[in-house]
Amino acid sequence: MEKRKKFIVPALAVIFIAWLVMWMMEQIAPGLVKLNEITQANLFTMIGNQTGGADKAFSVWDIIYSFSDSGEGSFLTDTVSCLFMLIGGWIGYFLEKTNSPLKGTGVAGEAFEDKWVWLVCGQFLAMFLANIFWRHIVGWTGWITTFTPLVSVFPVAILNFGKPNIKKFLTGLIPSIFFPVWGSQMLMNHVMIPLGIPTFAAFGIAMPTCTWIFMEIFKRLPWMMEDPDDPAPAVEADPHADVLGGAGHLVVTRSFADMAELWFWGSSWAGFGYILGAIVSWIFNPNGGLFGLLLPKAIFMIFFVTAVGMIIWGPRYQEKGYAFTFESTLCILALVAYCPKLEVLIPVGIIFAFIAPAALHWMTGKSKFFSRYAACVSVQYFAALTTIIFKFVLAPFVG
């Protein structure tokens, strides 16, 4: 308990600043909407315009739409936020490579540092090729789940099978283009939407299912098992060692890094760029993006659940080096648009901050099934399950 106390003040400070940002954004929102209506100058194009442009014929809209897909994994779908995210990711990568004290959380930690360029290039290529295949060859139109390669089969091929090379790259890339997109689209259109369940549940079932199936396949391919990672030296954790910095530093860096964990980067710089870009774009087009005028509440809940999670799980970060606090962010963002009432979201966020990391530590460490696969499998299944459960729990508060 004594260790947990030192996280309370910085966590409360983060919550207060996030609340202040939300309040300021909501105060200026009506004026921004009127200005946008008068000028009709949407400086940053809405996702609907992007999909409409991409539907007509192969064009630059396919690139823009595919690029925006990188924000779908953490819900703040917006071209500018994705651009800022990518810039922030490269900054974090460079600072980690140079061992700068400003590196924050780096890019998914030192274990993935040399894989990050392979990961990012493959993620964006997979999303672009998935868009081309499903939109221009198969003929699907409108919004398509082409973001799913970002956070399913391809990343595990790069991050969980030793040193990357072109054979592993292509082996993970090819199935990513087809199977996660198809599975997510079918579940979304034929199960979740008809039942009135938040569509995220479709992705949270299809993506991990594809991931564990293909992980089993990859384990049987000789070239995927070549060049394993050098084993890390066994180091017994010192329960008193402040291995990741002080409590204040941890709370601040994780507040941004938890967002970037959702697309496997784990970079506080990428998360900072993502949030900053979303706010910039919202100022010029407050009705744009996935959340639109709900963006201020979404941003507040991002920082709220991480701050609460750090009060609970901060000591584990210092002792063990990691905790699954980002799962709470994923779960709460899946519900913001469904039930955008803070008096409901705040207690639900506190529940997520308690149970999500605990459940994932058990699933990845003690469960025979989940411990066999990459952590994204348990993360996505858990998020889908809680989304479905809380859809019914929150139903009386919707409306």
Side-chain angles (χ1 to χ4, degrees), residues 167-312:
K167 291 186 292 184
K168 296 177 183 179
F169 182 92
L170 294 175
T171 302
L173 179 72
I174 293 171
S176 293
I177 296 169
F178 306 107
F179 295 98
V181 180
W182 177 82
S184 297
Q185 198 79 11
M186 293 301 102
L187 276 177
M188 178 181 70
N189 290 336
H190 300 294
V191 179
M192 303 309 169
I193 291 178
L195 293 177
I197 296 173
T199 54
F200 170 75
F203 322 140
I205 294 172
M207 292 190 301
T209 301
C210 291
T211 298
W212 69 257
I213 289 173
F214 277 97
M215 282 194 75
E216 289 293 345
I217 295 173
F218 293 161
K219 290 175 182 178
R220 288 159 175 79
L221 301 177
W223 62 89
M224 293 298 289
M225 307 308 292
E226 295 174 350
D227 300 319
D229 288 319
D230 296 329
V235 178
E236 185 176 352
D238 177 3
H240 303 292
D242 196 347
V243 296
L244 297 175
H249 177 267
L250 263 175
V251 171
V252 172
T253 55
R254 291 311 313 176
S255 293
F256 292 105
D258 273 3
M259 283 298 296
E261 292 282 4
L262 303 180
W263 54 83
F264 291 82
W265 296 5
S267 167
S268 52
W269 278 97
F272 172 75
Y274 194 55
I275 297 292
L276 179 62
I279 294 174
V280 169
S281 184
W282 180 86
I283 289 173
F284 287 95
N285 187 9
N287 287 308
L290 181 62
F291 287 112
L293 290 173
L294 293 178
L295 181 66
K297 288 182 179 177
I299 290 176
F300 171 75
M301 291 308 303
I302 289 169
F303 289 97
F304 177 81
V305 295
T306 296
V308 173
M310 289 304 298
I311 294 175
I312 304 164

Side-chain angles (χ1 to χ4, degrees), residues 91-216:
I91 291 173
Y93 174 72
F94 172 78
L95 294 176
E96 185 170 27
K97 290 288 284 185
T98 57
N99 199 28
S100 169
L102 300 176
K103 67 180 180 181
T105 55
V107 285
E110 293 179 1
F112 293 159
E113 180 184 305
D114 294 329
K115 302 178 180 181
W116 189 74
V117 175
W118 288 89
L119 173 66
V120 173
C121 293
Q123 286 175 317
F124 280 91
L125 180 60
M127 289 186 292
F128 175 72
L129 293 177
N131 179 62
I132 298 303
F133 177 79
W134 292 108
R135 191 177 302 280
H136 297 295
I137 297 178
V138 176
W140 288 354
T141 58
W143 185 79
I144 305 172
T145 59
T146 47
F147 77 93
T148 51
L150 177 83
V151 285
S152 55
V153 178
F154 177 77
V156 301
I158 295 298
L159 301 178
N160 293 87
F161 287 89
K163 299 175 182 178
N165 57 43
I166 192 63
K167 291 186 292 184
K168 296 177 183 179
F169 182 92
L170 294 175
T171 302
L173 179 72
I174 293 171
S176 293
I177 296 169
F178 306 107
F179 295 98
V181 180
W182 177 82
S184 297
Q185 198 79 11
M186 293 301 102
L187 276 177
M188 178 181 70
N189 290 336
H190 300 294
V191 179
M192 303 309 169
I193 291 178
L195 293 177
I197 296 173
T199 54
F200 170 75
F203 322 140
I205 294 172
M207 292 190 301
T209 301
C210 291
T211 298
W212 69 257
I213 289 173
F214 277 97
M215 282 194 75
E216 289 293 345

Side-chain angles (χ1 to χ4, degrees), residues 43-54:
L43 183 59
F44 305 126
T45 309
M46 296 172 64
I47 192 71
N49 299 90
Q50 296 176 14
T51 55

